[in-house]
Amino acid sequence: MNNAKGSAVTIRDVARESGFSVTTVSIVLNDAPLARYIPPQTKRCIEKAARDLGYRPNQLARYLRSKKSQTVGVMVFDITDPFCTPILRGIENSLYQASYLPVLADAHNERSRFERYLEMLLERRVEGLIVVANWLLVDINLLADLEKRSIPTVVIGGEIQTESINSVAVDNETGARLILDYLYSLGHRKIAFLRGPKRLSSSGKRWTGVRAFAHSMGLRLDPKLVLHLPDSLDPNSSFEAGYELTEELLNRRRAFTALVAYDDMTALGALRALAKARVRVPAQCSVVGFDDVAPAALSLPSLTTIRQPMETMGSAAVSIFVDSIKASLQKREFAAVHRKVAPELVVRESTGAPS
Amino acid sequence: MNNAKGSAVTIRDVARESGFSVTTVSIVLNDAPLARYIPPQTKRCIEKAARDLGYRPNQLARYLRSKKSQTVGVMVFDITDPFCTPILRGIENSLYQASYLPVLADAHNERSRFERYLEMLLERRVEGLIVVANWLLVDINLLADLEKRSIPTVVIGGEIQTESINSVAVDNETGARLILDYLYSLGHRKIAFLRGPKRLSSSGKRWTGVRAFAHSMGLRLDPKLVLHLPDSLDPNSSFEAGYELTEELLNRRRAFTALVAYDDMTALGALRALAKARVRVPAQCSVVGFDDVAPAALSLPSLTTIRQPMETMGSAAVSIFVDSIKASLQKREFAAVHRKVAPELVVRESTGAPS
DNA sequence: TCCCGAAGTTCGATTTAAATG
DNA sequence: GCATTTAAATCGAACTTCGGG
């Protein structure tokens, strides 16, 4: 409650207080081009009045003329997923630099929620949309949904190839190759795999990388040592699934010296199953994950994994968005960017030479 | 690009298309009181026009008259902290039910960033403010900052007692007592403590709970077995600190059968130090954390801890906010709410009877 | 013409008051 | 007075145009 009317201070209040017109106040406070004609004394007077009244320009009213809401929608598929948080941090940080504010939407992996949120964000006139498709469902129809909208959109985490939607993703194939190369050079030959859900594109890409490496080295991949995670939506389930699939693997009584899991949560589940079966890691079995999610560094033994530069990916998405805005401001065409970022091997305690 | 001008469809476009005035269109689409006088046929006609054009009401323009931005600022001290995410989920979920959208701000534990974000949120006319003070610094001045603003504010995670700011927090004292009661009943008498940073209020409360229980049971607390975490801002550092303090504790060569850590990250660090020193958990030493953060369930052994109902706390904050909005709508007074939620003991693998 | 400042219009919606039959 | 519809004012800021010294 800052003035007599009990509502917020407006530019009119500042005008009245300073004795100048709203126009002059607006020009001064925004340091508009015309401000150079205004004598310093007038400026000081107006600035003082604004300060005294605690004037805070109303960005929503400003939007009406400028059409710039200085806001972007950030749609996450599940904020509870540890994969999401570092990406969010990257997005937030870069947005902050650019004076944008993120409006957060969490789809809970539900299509209907995704659509409702999309509508809400559009009604709020976000200038862009960043979708963190961490887990499942870079669903073909959702993308179609997005393409129809005329605002710049960046998808993080899915290697997509549409013409109008930008994307940022790790190079999954290279990541997988990095793992195999490392294990192979340690001397591992009998390697088990907990592959990702079939519906996930990253799952396929990683497997391609595995096969490419195996082929080039003449390494045989034993089909009996390859299992698939179920097509589930819940990120927590991948820990459970990792545990259960590893038990199943152990029951097959087929020797392996290393286990490559689809992601870190799966690997953590595997670690637990191995501990229960009294298989020592890495002495008797090496374990590798993928993502380098926070808990990977905390486990005992800590997890060797492939790091996705998540924070960087978030920043990259924002910088694509910013470029796209700049282009449309200058009425330039802006071709969709598909940025692939490099994965990195992080060696920790869960891997070693086979005994 | 939805119409000839290349800009968004407005209510005027719908008016033109349907042949009615903007007033009528507005009344129909909002189902305003006057809508009962409008014949169904007119309604249908207008709704069809709106659909055909793909009309999406501009919430920002709407705000100008209604003063309702349908938006709340969510200020987090560090989104990277695993304590934050479940709270965010709770906030998001309840806000969604109420058709509000969260605008996210991450202070990175920096005061200047907090202030800048606060300013940005206020300029965007958020209707309320929810502050997740997960880690440090329910700083006296920050609160003063908040009190000056005239919008409803809820702080989660700090037990504060101001008159104008609402709060939601676990009952830390009870939580600590729960731990002691449990360990004592298992037979533990020599218990070591890794206390929280001195500046944190929760740290003091928990210690009060510990002492109260010890006193009531005639249990002696050995000062040589009590260490303090440093006053650091980085949540990751609590893992490091837990590791280092435990090593120091071990070096003191003073026997203890259980270790109570300030929070889960500290406990996880302790687990690692104990493993390195070949102290078996729980056989030789039980370990208890606090919070029940996601990694606590994933570790080996999994961590016994005190659960803060984080998602519930997020929801509670939103419901306080909603009540406060309702009250001001009806011009009722709304006294600050200080809600204390009950902690819960979660027994996992890291605790057992002393041998 | 150059400075300085103000009046008036605009953005997209809601709402009040009023005009029809 | 009633049912139906609408013109005009309004919200807060920015921008265009105009006038006086």
Side-chain angles (χ1 to χ4, degrees), chain B residues 314-326:
Chain B
S315 298
V318 171
S319 103
I320 292 173
F321 159 74
V322 169
D323 288 348
S324 157
I325 288 288
K326 270 190 202 147

Side-chain angles (χ1 to χ4, degrees), chain A residues 60 69 71 101-104 120-121 123-126, chain B residues 59-60 63 66-74 91 95-96 98-104 120-130 151-152 318 321-322 325:
Chain A
L60 269 39
S69 66
T71 261
L101 236 26
V103 178
L104 184 65
M120 290 173 79
L121 293 172
E123 285 181 353
R124 232 140 291 221
R125 300 302 191 259
V126 294
Chain B
Q59 299 292 345
L60 270 39
Y63 155 85
S66 69
K67 299 286 123 178
K68 314 205 96 302
S69 66
Q70 293 288 82
T71 264
V72 339
V74 177
I91 294 174
L95 245 25
Y96 181 74
S99 287
Y100 276 83
L101 237 25
V103 179
L104 184 66
M120 290 173 80
L121 293 172
L122 261 12
E123 285 182 354
R124 232 140 294 221
R125 298 305 190 257
V126 294
E127 291 183 48
L129 205 58
I130 298 181
I151 65 170
V318 171
F321 159 74
V322 169
I325 288 288

